[in-house]
Amino acid sequence: MAILPETRRKLLAIVPARGGSKGVLRKNMRLIGDRPLLDYTLAALQEAGVADRILVSSDDSSILAWADLRGWETHIRSADLAADAATISELAASIADEFDWTDDVGVFQPTSPLRSADSIRDALSVFHSSGYDSLASCSRESHLYWYEPPGQEMDIEPLFTERVNRQFGTPRVLRETGAIQLVRGLTLRSKREMVTARHKLFEVPEHEALDIDTPDDLALARRRLEDGTIIFRLSANRLVGSGHLFHCLQLAEALDEHRLEFLLRDCDPFVSKFIEERGYRWHDEGDLGTDLTNLRRPGVNLIVNDVLDTSPAEVLQQRSMDFLVVNVEDLGEGAKFAHWVVNALYQQQGNSQNVSWGPRWAAVREEFYFPPPKEIREHAARILITFGGTDPNQLGARCANLLIKSDPNLDIRVILGPGVAECQLPDSVTVQKSVNSMAAAMHDADLVLTSAGRTIYEAAMMGVPVLVIAQNAREATHAHLNYEAGVVFLGIGPLVDDSHIERTVERLLGNRSLRQELSDRLVESVDTHGTRRIAGKLRAMMRGEK
């Protein structure tokens, strides 16, 4: 006989919001942003779209009035079920009896405001497909825990399998979050418990696991929800290079107190892999309006466009969606409509009031901060060649091959970025795909050959003379390509003769006093505060300051 599919099970979603609370007084109505704590759970349930009935249960008349005014179904909880000793199971079973509810029952506590609609949908899907009678959300604890039986202090037992650093362990401790609790209605009414003998745990992402019990928990929730969301929209591929990627990652690390998202426009596969390794979330850009609608969150939303030139249409679309808009290295027409433009690489264009430009706004990685003094050697022979993450014109391979051919005694080291295509290099050249410290590699070199991006600022921090060949005409317009800043600029790669590169390298290596002068100028041209300046400006914008 054929097995008929299970009839769709309805869901009664109970949001328990009593007036009393021990840890935080009246916490269910405490404001986070401009909304009470209770509203975040109701909004997540509504967005999830899986509940047939959503019920706000409370003993507090002001909470019930607030919910009723906004169209939510309400339930007056009895004094017994609102007492400190009353359990969620008792409340849920009583409501199921009152409504004669036989399908699924869910309890979604307001104290988990970071729980997402996606997690609610996923949990219900797992619950239905698993065959279990109950399910609860949890998070995996990564600390090293011990168990001490009551009255048996000498019989402690480790709750971990091996003593390793907590980020590498496989902990056996799972903590219920209270965000999502599901149970079959008939089982709940007969057993009077939300947790059955056939119970399933559902792990939620760590950033959703907060459960508010104390004022510190409330402060953390406010920080996460009120500080808003910053979206880094970037392009990085073999054509435009990887500078936008590393610039956004640098800023992200300085703004980790905010909710951060990465939106990838025209990016090669190495970009998402790199972002994942840093622990951030990313999304491929499809329709910009739809993407921003999905990524925006309660509170202030800010987008950083690190995609070269923008159009008025895309910036105005972002502003119409109530985003603060910040553009990076943008010479397009869209820059006129951004709230702020930061151009560390380009000269100031006109008298634009919304543009900050020059080396003060160069975001340099922390590894370059406070380097040891640079020794300019009399006999120089060590050359570091690095042309960014993609090197679309293969300038690195070109320079390495011609320089080692002109002088086999040179110590040439080439660092290839993650997006650089396969290339042929001499056996006598040291080639690295990645390095533990670019700062150390630069500091050890007598001369750096690179493209016209932010690597120049990194070399300047280390005081190492730098010889620049631009990848394209746009790079050749960068403001820091001048002798005053200590930079020797040869021109655009395809237009620069091999002989010009060879002669310039030979003359620089052979002239210690010139290299010393260049080093001094480079060090004076840049400081360590660019990332801090940009991050500080973004924080001020998020707070509503000018």
Side-chain angles (χ1 to χ4, degrees):
M1 184 176 66
I3 299 177
L4 296 176
E6 184 178 12
T7 304
R8 177 188 176 275
R9 288 147 51 184
K10 294 182 179 181
L11 175 65
L12 168 64
I14 301 170
V15 182
R18 72 188 185 112
S21 175
K22 291 296 185 183
V24 181
L25 296 178
R26 291 188 54 79
K27 65 182 174 185
N28 289 315
M29 293 304 290
R30 289 294 187 99
L31 292 181
I32 299 180
D34 56 356
R35 300 160 57 192
L37 177 63
L38 170 62
D39 192 48
Y40 288 90
T41 292
L42 293 170
L45 278 168
Q46 187 175 51
E47 182 183 348
V50 294
D52 296 271
R53 293 178 72 173
I54 299 175
L55 186 71
V56 178
S57 175
S58 181
D59 62 320
D60 188 293
S61 59
S62 62
I63 293 177
L64 293 169
W66 179 92
D68 186 62
L69 179 63
R70 287 153 182 81
W72 299 107
E73 185 179 0
T74 57
H75 170 263
I76 301 175
R77 196 187 312 187
S78 67
D80 290 342
L81 292 175
D84 291 340
T87 67
I88 289 295
S89 294
E90 292 171 338
L91 172 66
S94 175
I95 292 175
D97 288 343
E98 183 179 338
F99 289 4
D100 194 23
W101 191 269
T102 58
D103 285 299
D104 294 338
V105 175
V107 174
F108 303 86
Q109 299 198 51
T111 50
S112 297
L114 302 180
R115 153 242 299 111
S116 68
D118 284 341
S119 289
I120 294 173
R121 285 190 288 261
D122 291 344
L124 192 65
S125 177
V126 168
F127 182 47
H128 286 170
S129 62
S130 66
Y132 285 82
D133 292 329
S134 59
L135 175 147
S137 58
C138 69
S139 65
R140 187 174 295 273
E141 294 289 347
S142 57
H143 293 79
L144 300 179
Y145 287 92
W146 293 75
Y147 175 68
E148 178 186 275
Q152 303 179 44
E153 291 80 0
M154 299 302 294
D155 295 326
I156 57 175
E157 175 188 352
L159 296 180
F160 47 88
T161 55
E162 55 181 332
R163 191 168 187 84
V164 297
N165 290 337
R166 65 185 181 91
Q167 61 266 39
F168 301 115
T170 54
R172 294 181 287 165
V173 178
L174 298 172
R175 175 179 63 86
E176 281 195 33
T177 67
I180 304 168
Q181 299 173 76
L182 300 170
V183 64
R184 289 179 179 263
L186 288 176
T187 305
L188 170 66
R189 295 175 66 180
S190 62
K191 302 296 184 182
R192 319 304 288 179
E193 291 290 345
M194 292 291 298
V195 176
T196 69
R198 290 163 42 80
H199 189 63
K200 175 75 174 175
L201 289 177
F202 174 82
E203 283 191 54
V204 295
E206 184 178 353
H207 62 274
E208 295 184 20
L210 178 66
D211 200 354
I212 297 176
D213 288 320
T214 68
D216 286 343
D217 295 333
L218 181 62
L220 179 57
R222 281 178 170 154
R223 194 184 78 181
R224 292 187 180 179
L225 290 167
E226 292 177 0
D227 283 348
T229 300
I230 299 177
I231 299 173
F232 292 100
R233 180 176 179 242
L234 66 99
S235 293
N237 51 55
R238 293 187 187 278
L239 180 62
V240 302
S242 60
H244 308 281
L245 166 65
F246 294 110
H247 184 252
C248 287
L249 286 171
Q250 178 72 8
L251 293 177
E253 290 179 359
L255 293 160
D256 261 337
E257 74 271 22
H258 296 273
R259 183 188 301 106
L260 305 176
E261 304 282 355
F262 282 76
L263 185 60
L264 310 186
R265 187 184 81 169
D266 298 329
C267 288
D268 287 344
F270 76 88
V271 177
S272 57
K273 179 180 179 182
F274 213 93
I275 292 173
E276 283 181 0
E277 290 174 351
R278 295 292 186 94
Y280 296 113
R281 296 182 295 276
W282 62 272
H283 315 266
D284 282 321
E285 182 175 316
D287 176 75
L288 179 59
T290 302
D291 294 332
L292 294 182
T293 298
N294 292 335
L295 291 176
R296 64 178 291 119
R297 292 293 184 271
V300 179
N301 289 271
L302 183 148
I303 184 167
V304 177
N305 290 303
D306 203 342
V307 293
L308 292 178
D309 298 344
T310 58
S311 68
E314 60 189 306
V315 175
L316 290 173
Q317 180 183 30
Q318 295 164 12
R319 293 194 62 157
S320 71
M321 299 177 68
D322 205 25
F323 275 85
L324 296 171
V325 181
V326 175
N327 290 6
V328 178
E329 315 302 350
D330 189 350
L331 302 180
E333 290 298 310
K336 298 176 183 178
F337 301 97
H339 291 93
W340 183 45
V341 181
V342 55
N343 283 344
L345 300 179
Y346 298 107
Q347 294 281 5
Q348 184 176 14
Q349 303 294 311
N351 296 316
S352 300
Q353 298 298 311
N354 69 330
V355 179
S356 299
W357 66 281
R360 280 174 46 83
W361 301 96
V364 180
R365 289 173 289 172
E366 287 87 348
E367 64 173 296
F368 294 94
Y369 290 10
F370 309 112
K374 173 63 180 174
E375 177 189 359
I376 303 300
R377 292 183 282 246
E378 183 69 41
H379 302 289
R382 179 164 293 172
I383 301 175
L384 175 66
I385 299 176
T386 175
F387 280 88
T390 60
D391 192 7
N393 293 308
Q394 294 208 337
L395 296 176
R398 174 188 170 191
C399 291
N401 278 288
L402 70 91
L403 291 177
I404 202 67
K405 183 178 180 181
S406 65
D407 186 353
N409 294 317
L410 291 175
D411 179 1
I412 297 178
R413 304 183 178 191
V414 180
I415 298 175
L416 301 176
V420 175
E422 292 296 324
C423 54
Q424 294 295 321
L425 290 163
D427 293 338
S428 57
V429 170
T430 302
V431 181
Q432 294 175 281
K433 278 286 189 180
S434 62
V435 291
N436 292 327
S437 172
M438 180 67 83
M442 285 187 174
H443 191 266
D444 198 35
D446 296 305
L447 181 66
V448 172
L449 267 70
T450 188
S451 54
R454 290 184 180 84
T455 306
I456 297 175
Y457 288 128
E458 297 173 349
M461 293 285 292
M462 307 311 295
V464 57
V466 57
L467 185 63
V468 174
I469 304 173
Q471 294 279 4
N472 50 54
R474 184 186 178 105
E475 276 197 357
T477 67
H478 289 179
H480 55 327
L481 304 178
N482 56 74
Y483 178 69
E484 183 180 355
V487 175
V488 179
F489 177 49
L490 295 185
I492 304 171
L495 304 180
V496 179
D497 293 334
D498 287 353
S499 60
H500 188 30
I501 299 173
E502 293 171 347
R503 289 195 305 271
T504 306
V505 169
E506 181 182 1
R507 291 170 181 170
L508 282 173
L509 293 180
N511 190 331
R512 181 183 181 278
S513 62
L514 177 57
R515 283 185 283 112
Q516 183 67 64
E517 182 180 353
L518 293 173
S519 175
D520 293 341
R521 288 176 178 271
L522 285 162
V523 170
E524 293 173 0
S525 71
V526 68
D527 62 30
T528 62
H529 306 306
T531 301
R532 188 185 310 168
R533 288 188 184 101
I534 298 173
K537 174 73 172 180
L538 297 183
R539 288 192 186 95
M541 292 176 67
M542 299 286 280
R543 292 193 299 265
E545 302 171 9
K546 294 184 178 180

